[in-house]
Amino acid sequence: MDQTQYKCPNCGDVIKFAPASGEFKCDACDSVFPKATIEAMFGQDGTGNAQTAPIGQDAQPPAAGQGTGYSWQGEELEIMDGVVSYACKSCGAEVVADVNTAATKCPYCDNPIVLNANVRGVYQPQQILPFKLDKKAAINALVKHYKSCKYVPPVFNPEKRLDEVKGIYVPFWLFDSGVYADVSYEGTKVRTWSDRNYNYTETSYYNIRRQGNLYFRNIPTDASAKMEDEYMDALEPFHFQELQPFNSAYMSGFLADKFDVEVNEAFPRAQERIKNTTQDEFRKTVQGYSSVRPISSAINPANSSYRYVMLPVWILTTKYENKIYKFAVNGQTGEVAGELPLDKKKVMLHRILYTAIPAVVMSAAYWLWQAFS
Ligand SMILES: [Zn+2]
Ligand SMILES: [Zn+2]
């Protein structure tokens, strides 16, 4: 299977992407390579085809009905039960990977490998958001997160025994979409007053209508079936202005999967978010009423477009009291998602303190009332 390994021209060891500096580095001889050098060596898409084929030539989606065999033709690629096997270019070992794998490490020699077939053609991302947090920074983000939660058991310190820390580029669809909305509400205004004999209430009813256009940019929807949507949603926001044109060299040293959720499967989720946000934004413009009730709403996304991008996520897992805890850390911002273990004693103490105090105050008031009456 066609693969790229990023070899250092000085010592032959492996070049990896270094999140902290945003450059490419050889750990063995400490050589640092700026992006332009990497592009000169490995091509603009990083798959090493710069010299042999003009960039973009095999980056066209296959014609309808042609399937996705475009760059696997002639390769000795074995697909069985959802796995592919190939020979590592560094050590020659036969490596088995999931069919969705785009970047991985050889389990025998630890060399990073990018599987070109899964980052080319229809699988070529348009953009990539390079990691900014390295492994240590991701662990620190998790530590900071659980230290800020007061119910975490004191003995829970996952940084001491993290079972697994993986830097993964997760495939995402990014949607841009215009939306035309026409929403009607019924509003009321209530006025009350009194005279010597009566209390008066006057309710006025209003028909309120709002029409207009909104434009959404970069609505992310993860395109990997094995990543839980809740985890990925909780990692937002990503700062998309830092997206780079795709180059697979950014994946060197990390893991990556190609998308396995098609764009038309993902679009309804994006549309749902667009509709909800539009509803909220329009509702905000209706003010000064005692009550507001939506009557009808037509929200139609239009001129939608999408891009296929790779976003950086650290996945950390730890075991505590025989339960596995999984955390996701935004590889750009350090935002953390995941459930922490709760110390039952601490939670109970909190409940007792906050329900017992009002009870004590009540009984003291009752006692005072009795004493003085
Ligand atoms: Zn080197
Ligand atoms: Zn190897």
Side-chain angles (χ1 to χ4, degrees):
M1 188 174 193
D2 190 20
Q3 54 181 279
T4 305
Q5 294 190 339
Y6 299 92
K7 298 281 182 184
C8 170
N10 302 329
C11 75
D13 214 298
V14 179
I15 302 171
K16 292 181 189 167
F17 178 62
S21 64
E23 294 194 303
F24 299 82
K25 198 169 165 261
C26 169
D27 287 340
C29 71
D30 274 342
S31 303
V32 173
F33 306 91
K35 193 181 163 203
T37 312
I38 291 292
E39 279 177 357
M41 288 192 286
F42 300 102
Q44 260 170 356
D45 67 352
T47 55
N49 59 358
Q51 280 77 31
T52 52
I55 305 301
Q57 193 187 342
D58 60 358
Q60 296 298 318
Q66 230 184 306
T68 51
Y70 50 94
S71 63
W72 291 1
Q73 281 159 9
E75 303 286 350
E76 281 170 48
L77 174 70
E78 226 184 303
I79 305 180
M80 279 160 62
D81 297 330
V83 298
V84 290
S85 65
Y86 54 91
C88 169
K89 271 188 186 169
S90 278
C91 71
E94 189 182 323
V95 180
V96 175
D98 186 281
V99 274
N100 290 326
T101 303
T104 185
K105 282 178 200 167
C106 170
Y108 304 99
C109 69
D110 212 35
N111 266 328
I113 298 167
V114 171
L115 298 177
N116 292 338
N118 285 345
V119 294
R120 281 194 193 155
V122 286
Y123 294 119
Q124 176 162 14
Q126 273 104 342
Q127 291 170 306
I128 185 167
L129 195 57
F131 272 91
K132 268 193 145 170
L133 269 63
D134 57 18
K135 191 172 179 171
K136 215 175 131 209
I139 295 170
N140 286 341
L142 175 63
V143 171
K144 209 174 129 200
H145 173 70
Y146 82 76
K147 287 207 165 144
S148 70
C149 175
K150 54 187 173 186
Y151 300 132
V152 173
V155 289
F156 177 77
N157 56 347
E159 78 269 29
K160 290 262 168 63
R161 43 174 177 181
L162 280 165
D163 295 325
E164 223 179 6
V165 184
K166 292 190 288 190
I168 304 177
Y169 281 104
V170 179
F172 270 77
W173 300 110
L174 277 192
F175 293 96
D176 292 348
S177 183
V179 58
Y180 173 75
D182 184 344
V183 190
S184 299
Y185 309 87
E186 182 192 79
T188 62
K189 281 186 182 171
V190 178
R191 197 161 68 93
T192 57
W193 69 96
S194 313
D195 62 17
R196 196 180 288 250
N197 299 316
Y198 297 104
N199 292 326
Y200 300 91
T201 303
E202 179 199 72
T203 306
S204 312
Y205 290 84
Y206 296 84
N207 271 325
I208 305 151
R209 193 170 177 195
R210 293 286 185 271
Q211 290 165 289
N213 293 295
L214 283 180
Y215 193 74
F216 291 82
R217 272 186 69 75
N218 299 327
I219 307 288
T221 307
D222 87 75
S224 171
K226 71 180 174 204
M227 288 290 169
E228 293 91 338
D229 292 346
E230 305 76 53
Y231 271 74
M232 295 302 110
D233 291 351
L235 292 182
E236 291 176 30
F238 287 92
H239 304 308
F240 293 116
Q241 64 273 25
E242 292 177 10
L243 278 165
Q244 300 291 320
F246 179 74
N247 186 310
S248 58
Y250 285 115
M251 291 176 166
S252 182
F254 294 93
L255 306 175
D257 279 341
K258 71 174 166 66
F259 70 84
D260 60 349
V261 175
E262 298 286 335
V263 66
N264 46 4
E265 289 174 70
F267 191 41
R269 276 194 77 214
Q271 272 184 314
E272 197 56 37
R273 293 181 70 172
I274 288 170
K275 283 187 177 179
N276 290 340
T277 308
T278 305
Q279 234 146 20
D280 292 347
E281 289 304 312
F282 273 54
R283 176 61 186 81
K284 280 185 204 160
T285 69
V286 182
Q287 289 192 350
Y289 295 91
S290 309
S291 73
V292 176
R293 187 168 67 90
I295 298 174
S296 73
S297 126
I299 298 174
N300 298 310
N303 299 322
S304 307
S305 63
Y306 65 87
R307 276 165 295 145
Y308 175 41
V309 301
M310 290 281 175
L311 304 183
V313 176
W314 285 98
I315 299 286
L316 305 89
T317 49
T318 188
K319 216 165 156 187
Y320 177 74
E321 289 185 341
N322 291 322
K323 200 180 152 191
I324 290 168
Y325 289 87
K326 183 174 150 189
F327 304 95
V329 176
N330 182 319
Q332 183 190 33
T333 67
E335 191 70 34
V336 179
E339 200 191 329
L340 286 162
L342 292 180
D343 187 332
K344 289 193 188 93
K345 276 189 213 146
K346 279 190 181 179
V347 176
M348 275 302 279
L349 187 67
H350 178 88
R351 280 212 194 112
I352 289 165
L353 278 176
Y354 286 86
T355 53
I357 287 170
V360 170
V361 172
M362 282 298 285
S363 65
Y366 180 73
W367 181 83
L368 278 171
W369 177 74
Q370 285 224 312
F372 291 96
S373 60

